[in-house]
Amino acid sequence: MEIEKAGELDLCFGVKRAIKLLKRAADKYGEIETLGPVAHNRQLVQGLAKTGIKPVDELEQVQGKILAITTHGVSPMVLSEIEARHIHIIDTTCPIVRRAQNAAKKLAEAGFDVIVFGEGEHPEVKGLLGWAKGKGVAALDVKQIGTSPLLATRKRSNLCRLGIISQTTQSQSAFVKFITQLIAASFSVIASEAKQSPRELRIINTLCQRTQRRREAAIKLARKTQLMIVVGGHDSANAKHLVEACSPIVEAHLVEGASEVDDSWLIGKYHIGITAGTSTPNEAIEGVVTKLKSLV
Ligand code: SF4
């Protein structure tokens, strides 16, 4: 049985940068807290906890005076709340997420309603909506937009200027499909209710190219193999997208670590591909490889 790893398997640049900043801060201040997990990967979070970097779920739970913002970023309202509590901020927001936040802010300031193609409950998307200054709505399906209270108000006031950005880790093909459907909808559903003229769609590509490259490498490998194993957190958006990208091509499973590999998946397989989410530590990937080798 051949076990082959996809390209682009390392921790992504944003996560590596965040870990470096956090470790430097922990060396300087001792224990620090992070607002939410540093990244959606349990092993990574547990590893950092051993060096004094621990997550809290809510601002109310913060006990110390040093708090780190994670790679996903936060809204300006949350930043203000932290500052009001006189807590020192270590900001590890990924620069690519920061670029998306700036896009949301600029669109809102220019009078656009902002549509974020993404999961409304994801911390990055919540932050982006905050930067859109109350003029944003998150959606993964164009139908959700037509029913959004925000846009219903705009339709009544005959204002229909839409800015479109994406959660950084969404897939390029899904974003393109969403935009295509939205353009069609803007000429039918939205436009027919607006009964007016000033109408503009502005699209800003806020996707993370590193995530795209990782997805492309996984798809390339999936085409050669009979089984793809994605190593990553069960709540990691980009790890789940890797499974979605490989599944139409070949059997694919998401595992957080070696213990989740099911022997029955290997029956009759002679070429197995491995890929991993952007925040998966190398030890977790190697653990899965070792387990697979032991099952041959
Ligand atoms: S996946 Fe991309 S956007 Fe997200 S932290 Fe990594 S580099 Fe930044």
Side-chain angles (χ1 to χ4, degrees), residues 11-16 71-72 94-97 124 168-169 206-211 238 278:
L11 291 177
C12 70
F13 136 83
V15 172
K16 275 188 194 159
T71 53
H72 301 306
C94 174
I96 296 165
V97 175
E124 178 194 321
T168 55
T169 51
T206 54
L207 292 169
C208 168
Q209 291 310 315
R210 288 165 175 85
T211 312
N238 76 81
T278 54

Side-chain angles (χ1 to χ4, degrees), residues 15 65 103 131 141 148 155 174 193 200 206 233 270 293:
V15 172
K65 282 288 165 198
W131 286 96
D141 187 323
S148 143
K155 281 184 270 183
E193 291 183 39
E200 187 178 347
T206 54
Y270 55 83
K293 284 182 178 163

Side-chain angles (χ1 to χ4, degrees), residues 34-41 45 55-57 70-72 235:
T34 66
L35 191 55
V38 173
H40 287 143
N41 187 283
V45 173
V56 291
D57 293 331
T70 69
T71 53
H72 301 306
D235 50 359

Side-chain angles (χ1 to χ4, degrees), residues 173 214-228 241-253 269 271 275:
S173 55
R214 187 173 293 246
R215 188 174 293 120
E216 281 158 22
I219 289 171
K220 194 172 160 197
L221 181 57
R223 292 201 176 107
K224 301 198 287 180
T225 59
Q226 298 160 316
L227 173 69
M228 282 296 289
H241 290 154
L242 285 170
V243 177
E244 285 162 17
C246 296
S247 291
I249 305 166
V250 74
E251 182 180 334
H253 299 281
K269 313 282 183 1
H271 193 175
T275 186

Side-chain angles (χ1 to χ4, degrees), residues 70-130:
T70 69
T71 53
H72 301 306
V74 293
S75 68
M77 291 73 95
V78 172
L79 279 177
S80 303
E81 263 188 72
I82 299 171
E83 280 162 7
R85 289 167 192 242
H86 306 290
I87 295 172
H88 180 66
I89 296 172
I90 310 287
D91 193 350
T92 76
T93 304
C94 174
I96 296 165
V97 175
R98 172 83 65 222
R99 199 179 58 193
Q101 292 176 341
N102 286 338
K105 180 171 177 268
K106 281 184 187 160
L107 284 168
E109 285 171 353
F112 285 81
D113 289 317
V114 182
I115 294 170
V116 182
F117 174 61
E119 299 155 44
E121 288 310 305
H122 192 281
E124 178 194 321
V125 176
K126 286 184 181 172
L128 291 177
L129 293 175

